[in-house]
Amino acid sequence: MNPLYTAMPTTIFETMSARARATGAINLGQGFPDSGWPQDVLDAAASEILTGHNQYPPMPGIPALRQAVATHYQSHQNIDLDWEREITITSGATEALAAAIFALVSPGDEVVLFQPLYDAYLPLVGRAGGVPRLVTLRPPHWQFNAEDLAAAFSEKTRLVIVNNPLNPSASTFGRAALDLLAGFATRSGAVILSDEVWEHVHFDGAEHVSVLSVPALRNRAVKIGSGGKIFALTGWKVGWMCAAPALTAVLAKSHQFLTFTTPPALQLGIAHGLGKPQEWFEAMRAGFQRSRDRLVAGLAAAGYAMLPSAGTYFVSIDLAASGISLGDAQAAERLLAAGVATIPVSAFYAEQPVTTTLRLCFAKRDAVLDEAIARLSGARDSLR
Ligand code: PMP
């Protein structure tokens, strides 16, 4: 047996969700919405199951979906993609991450990552034999500077993994940060793997800046997206990798022996969804922003200091600024006992964790948020 797996703990999301189910707690831990998905996307996929071709689709993805991804990014992010040579459909962003990391990392290669880290990155880098070089981001801004990058990059750097918008901190990297990263990546000949699954969930009128829209990175970056995230259908696991043709050729080979392909009806459902009008995406964002504001207002009124949330389904309680000296894991235990599951952000660090923030998912119906606010308000005095 591979010791990487025998020693590996179960992911914090699974652990917290299982405990929420067992105790009847409201689950603001795992990031799944409980409403807000588009009925026409469900109908499109359902009709494909009943009347479509339910056999193996082409390995790089059904042409209609690859074309829809290209058209979508052209109109939403002004990126030109050749659907035949630059897009590979995968079974969710998770498979895209695995395929890209296995394709781009050889044993001994250094990989620059930013913590807090989405939980899949480090195990996948480890399995590829990569050597992680971590840059630590801290609240409240969660940004890096040239000094941080200089300490992490070397002539052995082959890959940089960036998540934008960043889960769990709900922060974003703008043009200046990506330009800075581009300079370092170019000098060491590294590729940037940009996990952009949250690209549509950004707030307060801000624009998403994709790695592929930075000219210096157009041929040196892989952009990962997820249809499940865009349409609040997280169980669907339809994702993709977009990259220049030379990179895509290698990524597709890695994908072919991971899952080979992805259910055709779900691919066609997502293809339908990507063509929805601009207003649908704006309304979707506005809906999540309203939920964010509801949870933040309720918790602020109860005496919790909240960190900013520029995107994703998440917002964090700043324990330190709330005058709470408990560590995040201990605070999460107390809140679970009070009936609300949250995620301690320290779980997203591999070393020297920030232990002063707790992540909450606000992508829930108003009644669920209101009950969570009531329970968290009641528990406020137990957190000292
Ligand atoms: N990357 C990040 C940053 C995520 O938050 C998630 C989902 N929580 C994923 C990847 C996985 O996406 P998918 O469900 O499409 O595999």
Side-chain angles (χ1 to χ4, degrees):
M1 278 189 278
N2 185 337
L4 191 65
Y5 295 106
T6 50
M8 187 181 281
T10 301
T11 158
I12 181 83
F13 310 115
E14 190 58 31
T15 307
M16 271 300 191
S17 292
R19 292 184 65 194
R21 279 191 298 272
T23 60
I26 297 174
N27 190 355
L28 301 190
Q30 204 170 23
F32 62 91
D34 65 358
S35 60
W37 42 82
Q39 184 61 40
D40 56 330
V41 172
L42 302 185
D43 291 341
S47 124
E48 285 298 334
I49 286 194
L50 294 176
T51 61
H53 177 74
N54 283 290
Q55 307 308 326
Y56 292 129
M59 183 273 280
I62 295 181
L65 176 54
R66 291 154 70 206
Q67 285 158 2
V69 169
T71 308
H72 184 81
Y73 285 143
Q74 175 66 65
S75 68
H76 288 263
Q77 295 173 12
N78 204 19
I79 301 170
D80 268 321
L81 286 163
D82 174 344
W83 72 267
E84 284 183 283
R85 299 194 306 147
E86 298 196 307
I87 297 171
T88 313
I89 305 304
T90 58
S91 292
T94 309
E95 195 234 329
L97 285 163
I101 290 168
F102 296 161
L104 300 172
V105 177
S106 301
D109 287 349
E110 291 187 4
V111 181
V112 171
L113 303 115
F114 300 86
Q115 38 169 25
L117 293 147
Y118 181 63
D119 65 346
Y121 301 160
L122 220 42
L124 290 171
V125 168
R127 207 160 98 186
V131 180
R133 301 290 304 268
L134 299 171
V135 175
T136 298
L137 308 176
R138 297 175 197 286
H141 302 301
W142 314 94
Q143 298 296 315
F144 53 79
N145 60 28
E147 219 174 293
D148 298 326
L149 298 185
F153 274 77
S154 81
E155 71 286 356
K156 290 197 199 145
T157 310
R158 290 291 159 271
L159 189 67
V160 181
I161 304 181
V162 63
N163 177 208
N164 188 26
L166 177 58
N167 171 16
S169 55
S171 55
T172 56
F173 297 117
R175 176 81 50 189
L178 294 181
D179 282 343
L180 184 63
L181 207 49
F184 277 85
T186 307
R187 280 193 290 283
S188 51
V191 170
I192 300 197
L193 177 56
S194 183
D195 175 347
E196 300 182 13
V197 302
W198 296 103
E199 60 196 334
H200 270 299
V201 192
H202 50 79
F203 306 128
D204 308 313
E207 292 280 308
H208 172 68
V209 186
S210 172
V211 80
L212 289 184
S213 70
V214 177
L217 294 176
R218 181 62 180 81
N219 292 322
R220 168 176 298 290
V222 181
K223 169 184 170 71
I224 289 181
S226 168
K229 278 286 171 342
I230 296 174
F231 298 108
L233 298 167
T234 59
W236 275 28
K237 306 296 279 189
V238 178
W240 46 83
M241 310 181 265
C242 307
L247 280 169
T248 290
V250 185
L251 299 175
K253 286 193 187 138
S254 178
H255 155 72
Q256 87 181 328
F257 293 128
L258 280 174
T259 61
F260 185 74
T261 189
T262 298
L266 300 184
Q267 291 196 46
L268 290 164
I270 297 292
H272 169 84
L274 289 174
K276 288 169 86 62
Q278 190 80 29
E279 301 80 63
W280 184 86
F281 294 89
E282 276 155 23
M284 177 265 284
R285 278 193 271 283
F288 286 124
Q289 183 170 320
R290 210 182 50 77
S291 300
R292 176 199 67 173
D293 292 347
R294 192 179 189 95
L295 183 63
V296 166
L299 294 184
Y304 289 100
M306 306 301 290
L307 284 170
S309 164
T312 75
Y313 297 154
F314 308 111
V315 64
S316 289
I317 297 177
D318 185 335
L319 296 169
S322 307
I324 297 167
S325 56
L326 287 178
D328 60 350
Q330 235 183 328
E333 285 298 331
R334 298 254 176 110
L335 295 181
L336 187 63
V340 181
T342 59
I343 300 280
V345 170
S346 59
F348 297 82
Y349 285 76
E351 58 188 35
Q352 299 177 313
V354 166
T355 58
T356 55
T357 60
L358 269 188
R359 192 195 78 170
L360 285 72
C361 173
F362 53 72
K364 306 290 172 197
R365 282 168 287 127
D366 287 354
V368 175
L369 292 177
D370 291 347
E371 179 58 26
I373 291 166
R375 293 183 189 186
L376 292 169
S377 304
R380 179 67 184 85
D381 285 341
S382 72
L383 302 175
R384 282 287 160 217

